[in-house]
């Protein structure tokens, strides 16, 4: 969205209608950034399905048709990583195992030991109940570290008897942010490193799955004047969304919440965790309840 200013200048909303080639290019760039960040900006490991069995399953391990066919590629230069992913992007884009390969690549780029070290407790997992990803996996993909929390930095709690419990959060401002419905219900508190990312793009945790909220103004989070009234676009891939959903967020007029109404879209609750009291206009689109 923000990488080619001349492309956007020709049509400010053209970034919402990319060509197939452009989408593929952006996917390769995104995967490169995710894996390079997980590797600490020094290295990355890419897991690809080779199509042939690399070892014979034994013991408790049962063949699943994926892991036993994986070949690992260690890369130590960002440019080489981008080139390699561009050449093999079809295995992530069109193949049936793209998400699994990305997850494996991110874990191995970080290293298994470091991923375990990121957890608050070593019994934490990357995949939770019902096959859902945990916050640790979300944080690994967003920030390169599989920490367990969404607040800023580290919290140290007195556990008694001279013991201290360390809870690990986000260590720096993320490029892509996170808004959570759980914060609206006071279950968690998302820190500014995620709530105010470098780019106006947020992963939205709401209604048992993730979707995306983003703006096309790169300076949205750098100039308070632009946050008076602005547009955000919403996309829910799980819902196979076809229509464009454009929300206008207005922070200049007070939002009067109907305490007796349950018909407030969860997405609006998420938006107001960052822009408290904002009025959200769905611009003719039926609000998602």
């Amino acid at each position: 969205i923000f990488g080619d200013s001349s492309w956007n200048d020709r049509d400010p909303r053209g970034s919402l209608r990319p060509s197939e080639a452009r989408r593929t290019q952006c996917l390769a760039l995104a995967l490169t950034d995710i894996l390079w960040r997980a590797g600490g900006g020094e290295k990355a490991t890419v897991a690809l399905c080779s199509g042939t069995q690399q070892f014979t399953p034994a013991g408790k391990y049962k063949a699943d048709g994926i892991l036993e066919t994986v070949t690992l590629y260690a890369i130590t230069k960002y440019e080489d990583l981008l080139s390699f992913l561009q050449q093999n992007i079809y295995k992530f884009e069109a193949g049936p195992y793209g998400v699994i390969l990305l997850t494996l690549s991110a874990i191995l780029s970080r290293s298994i030991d470091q991923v375990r070290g990121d957890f608050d407790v070593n019994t934490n997992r990357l995949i939770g109940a019902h096959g859902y990803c945990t916050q640790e996996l979300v944080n690994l993909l967003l920030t390169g570290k599989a920490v367990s929390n969404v607040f800023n930095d580290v919290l140290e709690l007195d556990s008694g008897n001279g013991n201290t419990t360390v809870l690990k959060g986000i260590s720096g401002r993320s490029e892509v942010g996170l808004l959570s419905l759980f914060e609206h219900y006071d279950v968690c508190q998302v820190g500014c490193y995620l709530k105010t990312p470098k780019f106006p793009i947020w992963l939205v945790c709401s209604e048992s799955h993730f979707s995306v909220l983003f703006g096309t103004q790169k300076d949205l989070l750098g100039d308070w004047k632009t946050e008076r009234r602005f547009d955000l676009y919403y996309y829910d891939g799980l819902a196979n969304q076809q229509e464009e959903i454009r929300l206008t967020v207005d922070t200049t007029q007070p939002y009067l919440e109907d305490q007796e109404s349950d018909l407030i879209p969860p997405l609006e609750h998420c938006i107001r965790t960052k822009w408290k009291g904002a009025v959200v206009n769905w611009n003719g689109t039926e609000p998602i309840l």
Side-chain angles (χ1 to χ4, degrees), residues 8-275:
N8 283 334
D9 289 343
R10 291 192 296 271
D11 179 4
R13 294 176 62 190
S15 56
L16 302 179
R17 296 182 291 274
S19 65
E20 184 174 343
R22 183 77 177 182
R23 285 199 304 269
T24 298
Q25 177 190 16
C26 290
L27 178 61
L29 285 166
L31 297 187
T32 300
D33 284 348
I34 289 171
L35 299 185
W36 194 246
R37 187 162 49 240
E42 298 179 350
K43 59 182 177 58
T45 299
V46 182
L48 295 180
C49 286
S50 64
T52 58
Q53 186 168 301
Q54 301 296 317
F55 63 90
T56 302
K60 295 183 179 180
Y61 177 76
K62 295 182 179 179
D64 59 15
I66 305 174
L67 291 181
E68 63 271 12
T69 70
V70 166
T71 300
L72 304 180
Y73 300 86
I75 302 173
T76 57
K77 292 183 179 179
Y78 179 90
E79 294 76 12
D80 293 344
L81 176 60
L82 175 58
S83 177
F84 183 79
L85 286 172
Q86 287 174 331
Q87 295 170 22
N88 293 278
I89 194 63
Y90 66 95
K91 295 186 179 181
F92 294 90
E93 190 174 34
Y97 310 126
V99 172
I100 295 175
L101 293 176
L102 172 60
T103 302
L104 289 174
S105 299
I107 293 169
L108 295 173
S109 293
R110 179 66 176 157
S111 86
I112 294 175
D113 286 342
Q114 283 190 298
V115 166
R116 286 175 171 163
D118 289 335
F119 295 166
D120 281 349
V121 293
N122 57 18
T123 54
N124 286 6
R125 297 288 183 266
L126 296 175
I127 303 297
H130 312 296
Y132 289 172
C133 66
T134 63
Q135 190 63 52
E136 285 85 351
L137 180 53
V138 173
N139 287 342
L140 175 62
L141 297 177
L142 284 180
T143 71
K145 297 180 181 179
V147 295
S148 301
N149 304 286
V150 293
F151 50 70
N152 290 356
D153 301 317
V154 171
L155 286 180
E156 294 186 358
L157 304 179
D158 185 356
S159 304
N161 297 322
N163 296 318
T164 300
T165 299
V166 177
L167 304 180
K168 302 169 188 173
I170 309 302
S171 60
R173 191 178 182 191
S174 179
E175 290 191 349
V176 175
L178 174 75
L179 300 177
S180 176
L181 187 62
F182 290 117
E183 181 170 15
H184 168 73
Y185 293 119
D186 294 325
V187 175
C188 69
Q189 183 176 1
V190 180
C192 64
Y193 288 157
L194 284 176
K195 199 177 290 183
T196 307
K198 295 179 182 179
F199 298 102
I201 307 171
W202 293 267
L203 194 63
V204 178
C205 176
S206 174
E207 301 299 284
S208 299
H209 72 284
F210 293 94
S211 50
V212 179
L213 195 65
F214 65 95
T216 57
Q217 295 174 273
K218 185 177 181 179
D219 62 346
L220 175 61
L221 301 174
D223 183 355
W224 65 271
K225 294 180 182 178
T226 63
E227 292 189 77
R228 290 178 175 176
R229 192 173 188 274
F230 55 94
D231 287 343
L232 294 176
Y233 294 87
Y234 179 70
Y235 181 71
D236 186 346
L238 189 63
N240 294 317
Q241 178 184 324
Q242 299 297 320
E243 65 175 327
E244 178 182 296
I245 298 179
R246 178 176 60 88
L247 308 175
T248 299
V249 180
D250 191 338
T251 62
T252 65
Q253 53 180 309
Y255 166 70
L256 302 177
E257 183 174 349
D258 184 353
Q259 300 293 337
E260 298 181 358
S261 176
D262 294 328
L263 300 179
I264 300 173
L267 181 58
E268 291 190 22
H269 288 318
C270 293
I271 290 173
R272 292 188 186 105
T273 62
K274 173 161 179 59
W275 294 283

